[in-house]
Amino acid sequence: MNIHTSLKIILADSIIGTVLPEIALLDLPNWWLAGGAVRNTVWCSMFGTECGLVINDFDIAFFDDGGNRSQELAAKATLTAKFPDYVFDIKNQCSFARWRDGRRTYSSVEDGIKDWLHTATAVGVKIDTQGEWQFFTPYGLDDLFAGIIRPTPAHTHNPNADKKASGFLEKCSCLRFISHSRVVNNQESV
């Protein structure tokens, strides 16, 4: 079984398997579900009760040159009505830099996801119009399946990446944090 099949099995057997088809029905242009919902679902599946990470929200990134904030808000309202117990963070990566200080302009949704803090967070999943699962994994899946928190190249020296990693380690001690060629949590170097 390949690593994408393993990822699909884990996600399909979670709340993501229920939410993903509903996201697809929104028909957002070039969208991906990525971030903590994917990462935490995998880590909780792998480490069980030793991992206290939960899905805080569903990060849905899309790209629409003509889109605006009302498009994001409408999609969020639709999903919240269907899943009132969950939080949805829906962002048009095309306009993200216009209203979020300190962000660069992205050329695609994939460009935006590549710029997320950690490699295990920069993993996208979606279902296409035929119901087939698709994956966007710019840094591969090795870190995700090894329980490694590693800053993406753009955030190697970003103190926010280290701070966020510390929070992950507090909730899931099975993880390893690799930053600037050092390993945190008394694990051997990778």
Side-chain angles (χ1 to χ4, degrees):
M1 174 179 345
N2 73 36
I3 199 161
H4 286 107
T5 301
S6 297
L7 180 59
K8 177 184 172 183
I9 290 169
I10 291 169
L11 298 178
D13 193 35
S14 73
I15 186 62
I16 290 176
T18 303
V19 171
L20 209 56
E22 296 297 328
I23 299 169
L25 291 176
L26 295 172
D27 201 28
L28 293 168
N30 196 19
W31 66 274
W32 293 100
L33 170 65
V38 173
R39 179 198 62 227
N40 293 354
T41 298
V42 171
W43 286 346
C44 287
S45 173
M46 290 173 43
F47 301 120
T49 57
E50 294 181 49
C51 189
L53 293 168
V54 297
I55 296 176
N56 294 318
D57 62 8
F58 289 85
D59 294 304
I60 302 161
F62 69 100
F63 196 88
D64 185 1
D65 286 326
N68 57 42
R69 296 300 305 274
S70 64
Q71 185 180 24
E72 296 170 359
L73 297 173
K76 180 178 181 171
T78 299
L79 290 173
T80 301
K82 290 181 182 180
F83 303 100
D85 295 333
Y86 293 97
V87 175
F88 296 91
D89 189 12
I90 304 170
K91 298 289 186 274
N92 183 355
Q93 300 299 292
C94 181
S95 61
F96 197 52
R98 287 184 222 147
W99 56 267
R100 183 89 181 248
D101 290 338
R103 296 292 178 150
R104 66 179 179 83
T105 301
Y106 299 125
S107 60
S108 67
V109 68
E110 292 84 6
D111 187 32
I113 291 172
K114 281 189 223 175
D115 195 39
W116 291 11
L117 282 180
H118 301 107
T119 57
T121 305
V123 173
V125 59
K126 67 180 169 183
I127 295 177
D128 66 18
T129 54
Q130 290 77 38
E132 296 295 321
W133 286 62
Q134 295 183 2
F135 301 95
F136 175 65
T137 57
Y139 306 105
L141 292 171
D142 290 347
D143 284 355
L144 178 65
F145 278 95
I148 294 173
I149 310 162
R150 181 191 319 265
T152 59
H155 296 285
T156 303
H157 300 287
N158 183 341
N160 289 332
D162 293 358
K163 182 178 177 183
K164 193 109 175 170
S166 295
F168 297 153
L169 289 169
E170 286 175 15
K171 294 177 183 169
C172 189
S173 62
C174 303
L175 301 174
R176 292 180 291 164
F177 176 49
I178 299 176
S179 177
H180 315 300
S181 67
R182 67 181 171 91
V183 178
V184 178
N185 202 22
N186 298 325
Q187 300 289 328
E188 61 190 64
S189 183
V190 173

